[in-house]
C-alpha cells in the first residue's frame, strides 16, 4: 500500500516554492508553508494569491475552489512548524551549505518516518542527504517552472534512497496530475542538463551583440515553436538561480565550458537584475513578480516610414533554384503581391515548380484561406525562365540552389554581371558563410543572407544574416521585405548556424550523448523536454524528423567553426548515420517508424 500524504511542508516560498504549495493545495493536500521571516512569508503569500486570483480571472478556477485551496495552506515562519508533516519539499536558494543546514534541521524537527525532499536543480541530492540521519528517506522531487502549469516532475533517486520511498513519491506525483521520470543523481538531471548549455549560449550571443534580445527570443519561438525565448526564460527562472545552476553544473558536470556562466549573468545578479522577480532582467517588467513586459531603453522603435532608414523599394523579385526551398519562396513572394521571376535550369524543372506552387496554393483554396481569384493572381505574377539574364531588372534576387559553395559563388559572380546596380542579392544558405558568397561579387555591401525555414509558406521566421560587409541599407531592406511577407525577420551575424541552428543542434547532440551514456531512455528524455520545458517535440522525435544526416552535417559545421569541444558530434549520431538510420525518411532513426 502506498503511503498516504495528508500534509506536506514546503520550505522557501520563492519562484518555485509558492508554485509547489499551489500544486499540493489544489489537489486537496494540506500544506505547511515555511519561510525565513515574516516579510518573506508575506511575499510568498502574495505570490500564491496572485497566481490563484489570475486562475479565477481566467475562468480556470472557481472562487469557492480558490478559497478552499487557500484554506489548506498554513503559513509559518521557521522549520519547527513542520513537526507533523509526512513529506517536506525544500525550495530554498541553490546553495549546498544552506540546503545541508536545512536538512540537518529538518531531520531534527520532522517525525522519523517523514520523507525529506529537495527541489534542487543541479546540486547533489546525495550530498544533501548525508546531512541527515535518514539518507534512505531523502529524495529529489524536481518540479518545473511554473510548477502549477508544467506537467513534468523529475524524481531523483540516490544510491541509498529506499525503493518504497521512490514508489510512494511516484504515486504521489500521479495523484498531483504530474508525469514523473525517475532518474539517478547527476548534475542537471535530464531537462536542465540539456537546457542550461543552450540558455548560457543564448546569453553569450546577446552579450557579444550577435543579435538583440528580441531577435534571439523570436528566433527560438518562431523557428522551433518554443513557448518562450531563452532570455525570457532566464528572466522567469531568475538570474541568481540560473547562475547557481550553471556554476554547479560546470563544477559537477565535467567542467564543460558551455556551462561556465557567461560573465554578464553574474554582473546582472550583482546589479540586482534578477529577472521577473525583481522587475528587471533581460527585459523590464511592469513591477516585481509581474509577467508583463514593458518597453525600456532597449526596446526597438518601429520606424514611421519604411523608407526612412534608407530601405530600398522592392517590387520585382528573382528566385533562383527549383528545390523545396525555392518553390516555397516563390509562393511566398507571389502570394504577398510581388512580381516574381523564377529561374531554373530548364523548362522541365520550371514545369515541376509551377505544379508544386499550384498544388500548394490550391490547398489554401480548399482550406478557405485563399480565394480562387487570389490564387490565379498569385500564379499570374510568376514569370518562368531558364536564363539568368531575365534577372536584369529585378530589385531583389533570392538564391536557393544546391548547398555547395562553388556553385553559389559562380552564381553570385554571374548575378553581379547581370543585375542592375542597387539590387539586393540574398542567399538562403543555412550553413555556408555568407561573406564567401558576397566576395564573389564586386558589391558585397548589397549581399545578405535570407534564411527561410522549411516549409517557407508556413514558417513565420526568416534569419537576416549580415556580413561584415553588408550595408545597413541592405539589412534594413531585407528586414522590410520580411515584414511585407508577413514574416518576422531577425538580424544576426554571419556565423555558423546563425541563431536557430547554433542554439538548437548542440542541444540535440547533448541529448544523444545522454542516451549514449545510458542515463535515461529516448522516451523519458523526449517526455522531459516536452512536459518540463514545453517543447513541441522531444529531441529524438525532432532528430528523426530533421534527418540524422542533416543534423550531423550541421553539428560538424558548428564544431569546425567554433572549435568548442562540447560541440563534437556524439559518436552514436555518427554511427546511426553510417548505418543508414537517417530518421523518418529511411524508416528508422532513433525509433523504428516502419512499425506502428
Ligand atoms: N527558478 C526555477 O525555475 C527553478 C525550477 C526548478 C527548481 N528550482 C530550484 O528550486 C529551488 C528554489 O529556487 P527559486 O528559484 O524558487 O529561488 P528563490 O530565490 O525564488 O526562492 C527561495 C526562497 O527561499 C527562502 N529561504 C531562504 N532561506 C530560507 C530558510 N532558511 N528557511 C526558509 N526559507 C528560506 C527565500 O526567502 C526565498 O523566498 C532551488 O534549489 C532551485 O534550483 C528552481
Amino acid at each position: 500500500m502506498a503511503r498516504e500524504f495528508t500534509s506536506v511542508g514546503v520550505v522557501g516560498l520563492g519562484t518555485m516554492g509558492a508554485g509547489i504549495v499551489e500544486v499540493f493545495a489544489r489537489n486537496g493536500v494540506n500544506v505547511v508553508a515555511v519561510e525565513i521571516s515574516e516579510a518573506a512569508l508575506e511575499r510568498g503569500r502574495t505570490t500564491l494569491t496572485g497566481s490563484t486570483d489570475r486562475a479565477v480571472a481566467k475562468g480556470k478556477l472557481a472562487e469557492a475552489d480558490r478559497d478552499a485551496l487557500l484554506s489548506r495552506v498554513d503559513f509559518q515562519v521557521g522549520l519547527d512548524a513542520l513537526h507533523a508533516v509526512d513529506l517536506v519539499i525544500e525550495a530554498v536558494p541553490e546553495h549546498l551549505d544552506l540546503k545541508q543546514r536545512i536538512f540537518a534541521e529538518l531531520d531534527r524537527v520532522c517525525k522519523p518516518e517523514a520523507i525529506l525532499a529537495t527541489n534542487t536543480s543541479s546540486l547533489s541530492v546525495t550530498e544533501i542527504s548525508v546531512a541527515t540521519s535518514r539518507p534512505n528517506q531523502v529524495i529529489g522531487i524536481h518540479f518545473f517552472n511554473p510548477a502549477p502549469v508544467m506537467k513534468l516532475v523529475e524524481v531523483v533517486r540516490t544510491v541509498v534512497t529506499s525503493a518504497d520511498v521512490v514508489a510512494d513519491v511516484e504515486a504521489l506525483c500521479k495523484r498531483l496530475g504530474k508525469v514523473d521520470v525517475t532518474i539517478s543523481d547527476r548534475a542537471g538531471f535530464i531537462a536542465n542538463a540539456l537546457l542550461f548549455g543552450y540558455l548560457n549560449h543564448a546569453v553569450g550571443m546577446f552579450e557579444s551583440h550577435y543579435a538583440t534580445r528580441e531577435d534571439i527570443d523570436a528566433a527560438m519561438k518562431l523557428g522551433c515553436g518554443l513557448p518562450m525565448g531563452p532570455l525570457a526564460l532566464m528572466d522567469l527562472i531568475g538570474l541568481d538561480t540560473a547562475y547557481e545552476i550553471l556554476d554547479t553544473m560546470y563544477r559537477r558536470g565535467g567542467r564543460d565550458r558551455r556551462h561556465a556562466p557567461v560573465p554578464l549573468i553574474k554582473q546582472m545578479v550583482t546589479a540586482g537584475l534578477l529577472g521577473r522577480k525583481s522587475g528587471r532582467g533581460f527585459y523590464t517588467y511592469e513591477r516585481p513578480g509581474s509577467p508583463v513586459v514593458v518597453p525600456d531603453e532597449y526596446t526597438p522603435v518601429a520606424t514611421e516610414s519604411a523608407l526612412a532608414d534608407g530601405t530600398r523599394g522592392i517590387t520585382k523579385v528573382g528566385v533562383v533554384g527549383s528545390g523545396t526551398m525555392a518553390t516555397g519562396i516563390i509562393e511566398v513572394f507571389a502570394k504577398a503581391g510581388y512580381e516574381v521571376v523564377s529561374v531554373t535550369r530548364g523548362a522541365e524543372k520550371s514545369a515541376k515548380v509551377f505544379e508544386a506552387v499550384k498544388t500548394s496554393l490550391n490547398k489554401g483554396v480548399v482550406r478557405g484561406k485563399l480565394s480562387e481569384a487570389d490564387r490565379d493572381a498569385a500564379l499570374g505574377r510568376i514569370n518562368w525562365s531558364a536564363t539568368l539574364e531575365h534577372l536584369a531588372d529585378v530589385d531583389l534576387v533570392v538564391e536557393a540552389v544546391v548547398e555547395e559553395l562553388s556553385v553559389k559563388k559562380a552564381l553570385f559572380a554571374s548575378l553581379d554581371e547581370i543585375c542592375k546596380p542597387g539590387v539586393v542579392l540574398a542567399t538562403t544558405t543555412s550553413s555556408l558563410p555568407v561573406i564567401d558568397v558576397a566576395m564573389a561579387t564586386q558589391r558585397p555591401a548589397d549581399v545578405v543572407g535570407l534564411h527561410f525555414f522549411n516549409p517557407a509558406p508556413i514558417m513565420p521566421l526568416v534569419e537576416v544574416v549580415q556580413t561584415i560587409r553588408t550595408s545597413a541599407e541592405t539589412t534594413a531592406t531585407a528586414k522590410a521585405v520580411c515584414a511585407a511577407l508577413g514574416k518576422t525577420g531577425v538580424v544576426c551575424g554571419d556565423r555558423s548556424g546563425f541563431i536557430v541552428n547554433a542554439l538548437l543542434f548542440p542541444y540535440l547532440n547533448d541529448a544523444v550523448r545522454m542516451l549514449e551514456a545510458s542515463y535515461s531512455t529516448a522516451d523519458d528524455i523526449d517526455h522531459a523536454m516536452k512536459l518540463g520545458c514545453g517543447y513541441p517535440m522531444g529531441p529524438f522525435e525532432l532528430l528523426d524528423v530533421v534527418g540524422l544526416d542533416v543534423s550531423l552535417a550541421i553539428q560538424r559545421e558548428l564544431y569546425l567553426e567554433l572549435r568548442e569541444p562540447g560541440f563534437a558530434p556524439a559518436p552514436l549520431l555518427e554511427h546511426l548515420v553510417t548505418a543508414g538510420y537517417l530518421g523518418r525518411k529511411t524508416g528508422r532513426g532513433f525509433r523504428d517508424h516502419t512499425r506502428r
Side-chain angles (χ1 to χ4, degrees):
M1 263 275 289
R3 181 193 303 242
E4 268 297 309
F5 293 96
T6 46
S7 79
V8 306
V10 175
V11 183
L13 308 178
T15 308
M16 287 311 290
I20 295 169
V21 169
E22 183 176 336
V23 170
F24 280 104
R26 253 185 199 241
N27 286 280
V29 182
N30 292 325
V31 186
V32 182
V34 170
E35 259 293 352
I36 195 168
S37 65
E38 286 293 345
L41 198 62
E42 209 36 54
R43 270 201 308 274
R45 194 197 300 268
T46 311
T47 309
L48 178 64
T49 46
S51 171
T52 49
D53 286 351
R54 277 197 299 277
V56 170
K58 282 187 195 152
K60 290 187 174 165
L61 187 69
E63 270 186 49
D65 290 341
R66 176 207 42 206
D67 296 345
L69 185 163
L70 295 176
S71 74
R72 284 186 206 109
V73 187
D74 177 15
F75 289 93
Q76 296 285 347
V77 172
L79 300 178
D80 286 336
L82 299 168
H83 59 89
V85 299
D86 305 312
L87 162 75
V88 178
I89 298 191
E90 161 280 311
V92 304
E94 190 78 341
H95 297 291
L96 182 62
D97 51 344
L98 172 64
K99 295 202 190 253
Q100 283 183 324
R101 253 189 292 128
I102 288 191
F103 270 71
E105 186 67 10
L106 288 173
D107 190 32
R108 195 184 56 75
V109 167
C110 295
K111 55 187 187 189
E113 64 275 25
I115 294 176
L116 306 180
T118 172
N119 184 49
T120 182
S121 309
S122 57
L123 295 168
S124 161
V125 180
T126 317
E127 281 184 64
I128 295 171
S129 76
V130 293
T132 73
S133 64
R134 52 176 115 176
N136 56 340
Q137 280 163 243
V138 175
I139 192 165
I141 305 183
H142 185 232
F143 285 87
F144 285 77
N145 190 359
V149 179
M150 302 314 287
K151 278 256 171 270
L152 185 78
V153 175
E154 288 173 326
V155 175
V156 186
R157 170 184 54 196
T158 74
V159 284
V160 290
T161 312
S162 67
D164 58 311
V165 167
V166 175
D168 290 344
V169 166
E170 286 173 341
L172 175 67
C173 291
K174 290 201 178 62
R175 177 177 162 199
L176 298 175
K178 301 288 183 193
V179 175
D180 61 283
V181 293
T182 301
I183 42 192
S184 57
D185 189 13
R186 198 177 111 162
F189 316 127
I190 298 178
N192 284 350
L194 298 181
L195 188 67
F196 271 83
Y198 147 71
L199 293 178
N200 205 33
H201 189 178
V203 177
M205 280 184 175
F206 173 72
E207 190 194 52
S208 63
H209 303 284
Y210 181 65
T212 64
R213 62 182 185 185
E214 282 82 4
D215 281 0
I216 292 171
D217 279 353
M220 296 314 285
K221 273 173 69 174
L222 303 177
C224 302
L226 302 187
M228 59 172 69
L231 302 176
L233 180 54
M234 287 288 286
D235 277 358
L236 175 70
I237 292 169
L239 269 73
D240 48 349
T241 302
Y243 177 85
E244 294 303 331
I245 294 174
L246 280 165
D247 191 50
T248 313
M249 288 191 43
Y250 175 73
R251 283 184 284 108
R252 280 186 74 203
R255 300 195 178 253
D256 183 340
R257 276 196 329 197
R258 292 178 303 152
H259 292 137
V262 167
L264 178 66
I265 302 175
K266 184 65 182 231
Q267 290 161 26
M268 290 174 74
V269 172
T270 308
L273 309 177
L274 306 183
R276 278 192 198 184
K277 61 182 158 190
S278 69
R280 183 149 185 180
F282 288 101
Y283 296 91
T284 303
Y285 299 85
E286 215 171 19
R287 64 191 128 67
S290 162
V292 181
V293 174
V294 293
D296 58 20
E297 65 268 39
Y298 301 113
T299 306
V301 237
T303 31
E304 284 290 313
S305 142
L307 296 173
D309 50 7
T311 311
R312 298 173 209 155
I314 306 276
T315 51
K316 195 167 178 183
V317 178
V319 181
V320 187
S322 53
T324 314
M325 288 315 287
T327 307
I329 293 166
I330 290 168
E331 178 184 334
V332 167
F333 276 102
K335 233 164 50 178
Y338 289 91
E339 197 183 331
V340 180
V341 182
S342 155
V343 181
T344 72
R345 277 173 298 159
E348 212 175 297
K349 298 243 180 234
S350 292
K352 255 181 70 186
V353 178
F354 171 75
E355 280 307 319
V357 172
K358 201 166 79 175
T359 308
S360 176
L361 290 172
N362 275 337
K363 277 190 195 146
V365 174
V366 171
R367 291 198 191 113
K369 289 188 174 162
L370 192 71
S371 72
E372 288 190 11
D374 285 345
R375 172 200 60 195
D376 296 341
L379 283 173
R381 279 191 284 271
I382 310 170
N383 304 287
W384 303 96
S385 162
T387 26
L388 290 173
E389 274 65 28
H390 285 136
L391 300 175
D393 65 341
V394 299
D395 308 308
L396 161 70
V397 180
V398 181
E399 163 278 311
V401 303
V402 65
E403 190 78 343
E404 264 175 46
L405 188 57
S406 57
V407 176
K408 293 200 193 263
K409 280 170 83 165
L411 173 62
F412 271 74
S414 304
L415 291 175
D416 194 20
E417 283 173 10
I418 293 163
C419 295
K420 64 184 184 190
V423 173
V424 171
L425 300 176
T427 170
T428 53
T429 182
S430 39
S431 61
L432 301 169
V434 177
I435 189 68
D436 276 336
V437 178
M439 295 312 288
T441 73
Q442 303 298 314
R443 42 175 128 173
D446 297 333
V447 179
V448 71
L450 273 183
H451 185 227
F452 284 83
F453 287 71
N454 188 16
I458 292 171
M459 294 298 284
L461 183 73
V462 180
E463 286 173 319
V464 176
V465 185
Q466 54 180 359
T467 75
I468 41 171
R469 299 286 297 264
T470 308
S471 72
E473 291 73 29
T474 302
T475 305
T477 306
K479 256 203 100 159
V481 167
C482 294
L485 295 175
K487 310 235 179 249
T488 298
V490 294
V491 179
C492 64
D494 184 20
R495 272 190 356 203
S496 180
F498 310 135
I499 300 175
V500 174
N501 287 353
L503 292 178
L504 178 68
F505 282 87
Y507 143 76
L508 296 174
N509 194 49
D510 285 346
V512 180
R513 278 183 191 284
M514 184 178 273
L515 182 70
E516 200 169 26
S518 301
Y519 180 60
S520 189
T521 62
D523 285 353
D524 275 358
I525 296 172
D526 276 355
H527 261 126
M529 296 318 289
K530 285 198 288 189
L531 302 177
C533 307
Y535 281 43
M537 277 190 207
F540 299 106
E541 281 176 280
L542 186 57
L543 280 161
D544 275 3
V545 169
V546 172
L548 273 54
D549 50 343
V550 175
S551 307
L552 178 61
I554 294 173
Q555 192 60 29
R556 276 197 185 131
E557 288 287 341
L558 286 169
Y559 179 53
L560 284 177
E561 180 167 302
L562 302 169
R563 306 293 164 111
E564 173 59 60
F567 285 175
L572 176 62
L573 187 60
E574 308 240 17
H575 291 184
L576 288 167
V577 172
T578 309
Y581 294 167
L582 306 184
R584 283 183 178 272
K585 60 187 168 189
T586 59
R588 182 155 178 183
F590 284 95
R591 295 197 172 88
D592 186 348
H593 300 282
T594 54
R595 278 183 291 162
R596 290 238 117 211

